[in-house]
């Protein structure tokens, strides 16, 4: 958390290990003037970078990828120490996905940045050839959350850089060291330091970055902050991508594999101590399997090893901060007060430290409960029964959010048919979350879960402006539609429209005859 070091001096952020409370480092916050100057520095350097070949930019990404691969354990340990997630999980859900995203950019940047011909069918324009050019925006601002403090900003940064942008990143105030680690890896890879900057600070630093002369903002965080970011950006028509919260439903149909689905539910709800945007925030199970499913989940949750994630066997680490713990507590207690059945957890694990919450299983929840409507973001698996596919779809769509969903079934076509009816940016069949690890798969939400996409080709598309270049192949000819209008011109143009668009052949032919002379007008100005 940021603290005023002393009156009149720059604020600082003290980074903590959420498992132990240990202070890891104290970093000075960037002042508003420093943030604006940083953006200016990036702006000045960016045209040089845009002028380099795609191969040169890819070379930097290759070296970055190699550095990260070689130093993966150190990076994973740092993620564990500052964000709390088990180091093994950091390797799989942060380092691996960044290596894969780098590979995607390395393999696809040339193709993506190639000019794209735009064939057209208008014969009046046949002497024109058009193509699309993808140009970088300039300086991309990135504001990142703490829950995937490495992979989220890294994936966005790699896409921005390979397409020729400069980047200014404001990491979460809870994970500034991981933001700095990304910077270190990029600099070791040979990136010009003027092209990537980390500005450390709390929310106001993000607000200053948003107000600074950046060309686009890629924001990831809560829906509440995202709304404020969207409003501010709208005032100056700054393009934004908003990757916001979720309330992802898991639907277990009556033909699902119970053993696999219950393991999936436990991992999906508890990994990263439940602090994952793509996750299992709500679980709906067909009534015919409801009690056996609950029993399997209860038994599997009882086996989870909770503790400081630096231990290689730990599966569930601490939560990031007290405010997040309180949110979980309030929602769980509210659900119990409204009739939910507590089958596991439901309390803090104070014997482990001040930030641990026990993996929690709740049955008989209803969509009216806060736990089923608000983002929980903690190690909680709330389960409710349903009786028909129709009801499952209605319950799943009964949410302001629409980030992702999962459907568990032994029948693929049944699952696909249901997926088409779910209002979410991603629907997975028989798995959840893991598509975040497919670099080609776009990531983003419907409804309050956001605007725009990151990852894959759609993510690269967010980093560029598309320009249409039109080349006239008959530069010595004045165009027949230019000035010099007359009754004759009007008749010829009418005939030409019939020739182009009339469905009846006789009208088409008469139109062709009437339009003769249109392209040889002598009276154009
Ligand atoms: P948050 O909204 O509190 O903060 C996110 C970032 O915004 C932080 O860096 C913060 O300092 C900054 N910020 C705060 N106020 C700001 C302001 N007024 N202007 C500009 N920036 C400001 O979110 P969080 O607690 O860090 O992250 C958790 C949330 O992020 C959850 O809701 C989660 O679902 C969401 N999330 C979404 C995705 C996704 O891809 N959709 C991924 C990860 C996390």
């Amino acid at each position: 958390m940021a603290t005023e070091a002393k009156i009149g001096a720059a604020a600082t952020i003290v980074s903590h290990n959420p498992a132990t409370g240990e202070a890891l480092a104290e970093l000075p916050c960037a002042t508003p003037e420093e943030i604006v100057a940083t953006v200016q520095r990036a702006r000045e350097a960016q045209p040089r970078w845009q002028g380099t070949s795609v191969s040169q930019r890819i070379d930097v990404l290759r070296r970055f990828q190699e550095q990260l691969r070689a130093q993966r354990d150190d990076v994973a340990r740092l993620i564990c120490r500052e964000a709390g997630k088990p180091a093994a999980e950091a390797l799989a859900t942060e380092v691996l996905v960044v290596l894969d995203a780098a590979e995607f950019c390395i393999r696809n940047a040339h193709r993506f940045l190639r000019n794209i011909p735009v064939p057209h069918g208008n014969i009046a324009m046949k002497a024109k050839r058009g193509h699309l050019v993808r140009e970088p925006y300039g300086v991309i601002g990135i504001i990142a959350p703490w829950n995937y403090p490495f992979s989220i900003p890294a994936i966005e940064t790699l896409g921005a850089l390979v397409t020729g942008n400069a980047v200014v990143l404001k990491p979460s105030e809870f994970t500034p060291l991981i933001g700095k680690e990304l910077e270190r890896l990029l600099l070791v890879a040979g990136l010009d330091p003027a092209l990537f900057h980390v500005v450390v600070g709390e929310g106001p630093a993000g607000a200053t970055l948003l107000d600074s002369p950046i060309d686009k903002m890629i924001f990831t965080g809560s829906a509440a902050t995202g709304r404020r970011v969207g409003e501010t950006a709208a005032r100056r028509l700054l393009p934004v991508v908003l990757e916001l919260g979720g309330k992802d439903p898991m639907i277990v149909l009556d033909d699902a594999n119970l053993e696999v689905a219950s393991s999936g539910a436990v991992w999906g709800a508890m990994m990263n101590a439940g602090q994952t945007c793509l996750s299992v925030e709500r679980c709906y199970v067909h009534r015919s399997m409801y009690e056996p499913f609950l029993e399997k989940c209860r038994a599997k949750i009882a086996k989870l090893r909770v503790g400081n994630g630096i231990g290689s066997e730990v599966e569930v680490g601490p939560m990031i901060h007290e405010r997040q713990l309180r949110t979980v507590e309030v929602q769980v207690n509210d659900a119990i007060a409204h009739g939910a059945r507590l089958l596991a957890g439901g309390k803090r694990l104070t014997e482990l430290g001040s930030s641990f919450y026990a993996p929690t299983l709740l049955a008989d929840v209803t969509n009216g409960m806060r736990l089923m409507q608000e983002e929980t973001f903690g190690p909680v698996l709330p389960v409710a029964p349903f009786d028909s596919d129709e009801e499952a779809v209605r319950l799943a769509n009964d949410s302001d959010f629409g980030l992702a969903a999962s459907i568990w079934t032994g029948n693929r076509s049944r699952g696909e048919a249901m997926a088409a009816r779910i209002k979410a940016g991603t629907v997975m069949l028989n798995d959840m979350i893991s598509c975040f690890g497919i670099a080609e798969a776009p990531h983003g939400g419907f409804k309050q879960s956001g605007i725009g996409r990151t990852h894959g080709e759609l993510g690269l598309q967010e980093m560029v402006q598309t320009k249409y270049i039109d080349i006239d192949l008959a530069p010595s000819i004045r165009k027949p539609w230019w000035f010099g209008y007359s009754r004759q011109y009007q008749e010829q143009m009418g005939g030409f429209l019939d020739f182009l668009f009339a469905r009846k052949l006789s009208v088409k032919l008469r139109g062709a005859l009437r339009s003769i002379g249109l392209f040889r007008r002598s009276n154009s100005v």
Side-chain angles (χ1 to χ4, degrees), residues 87-235:
E89 200 171 286
L91 270 186
T93 65
E94 301 250 25
V95 175
L96 187 154
V97 297
V98 175
L99 290 172
D100 192 44
E103 190 66 27
F104 173 79
C105 291
I106 289 165
R107 285 178 188 272
N108 290 286
H110 277 292
R111 181 189 53 76
F112 178 76
L113 292 170
R114 219 172 273 147
N115 293 348
I116 306 167
V118 182
H120 62 80
N122 186 343
I123 62 167
M125 304 283 173
K126 271 301 170 196
K128 289 179 182 301
R129 294 284 176 277
H131 63 268
L132 301 180
V133 176
R134 284 159 158 164
E135 288 184 1
Y137 272 94
V139 180
I140 303 271
I142 297 177
I143 296 180
W146 47 263
N147 66 331
Y148 284 80
F150 186 67
S151 58
I152 288 175
I155 292 169
E156 293 163 1
T157 296
L158 294 176
L161 289 175
V162 85
T163 48
N165 297 282
V167 172
V168 179
L169 162 67
K170 210 281 300 164
S172 167
E173 52 273 41
F174 297 99
T175 51
L177 293 178
I178 299 168
K180 286 283 187 192
E181 179 64 7
L182 175 60
E183 181 178 49
R184 189 190 68 77
L185 286 163
L186 285 166
L187 298 189
V188 172
L191 183 73
D192 174 352
L195 291 168
F196 179 80
H197 305 265
V198 174
V199 293
V200 170
E202 294 189 303
T208 305
L209 179 59
L210 185 65
D211 265 341
S212 74
I214 54 171
D215 299 291
K216 183 157 186 173
M217 169 59 73
I218 315 286
F219 172 84
T220 308
S222 62
T225 314
R227 196 169 292 116
R228 283 205 293 279
V229 167
E231 282 167 6
T232 308
R235 277 199 287 278

Side-chain angles (χ1 to χ4, degrees), residues 41 77 117 119 228 307 336-337 371:
R41 212 173 136 223
R77 267 194 297 273
R228 283 205 293 279
I336 293 169
L371 183 69

Side-chain angles (χ1 to χ4, degrees), residues 302-319:
K303 288 188 195 151
L304 292 177
R305 292 180 291 265
V306 185
N308 183 342
I310 212 76
S312 57
E313 308 240 302
V314 165
E315 288 158 323
V316 181
M319 299 191 60

Side-chain angles (χ1 to χ4, degrees), residues 433-472:
I433 305 175
S434 54
C435 59
F436 193 77
I438 300 172
E440 289 77 4
H443 172 66
F446 282 19
K447 301 195 267 186
Q448 306 275 304
S449 290
I451 296 171
R453 293 292 179 269
T454 53
H455 296 211
E457 183 142 342
L458 293 183
L460 286 183
Q461 185 61 46
E462 298 282 4
M463 304 297 176
V464 294
Q465 315 206 62
T466 304
K467 183 184 280 179
Y468 180 67
I469 304 280
D470 184 284
I471 297 161
D472 196 284

Side-chain angles (χ1 to χ4, degrees), residues 290-300 343 361:
Y290 184 57
E291 290 300 337
F293 179 85
L294 287 170
E295 179 44 35
K296 282 189 186 298
C297 289
R298 198 199 53 71
K300 290 173 185 181
L343 297 180
L361 176 63

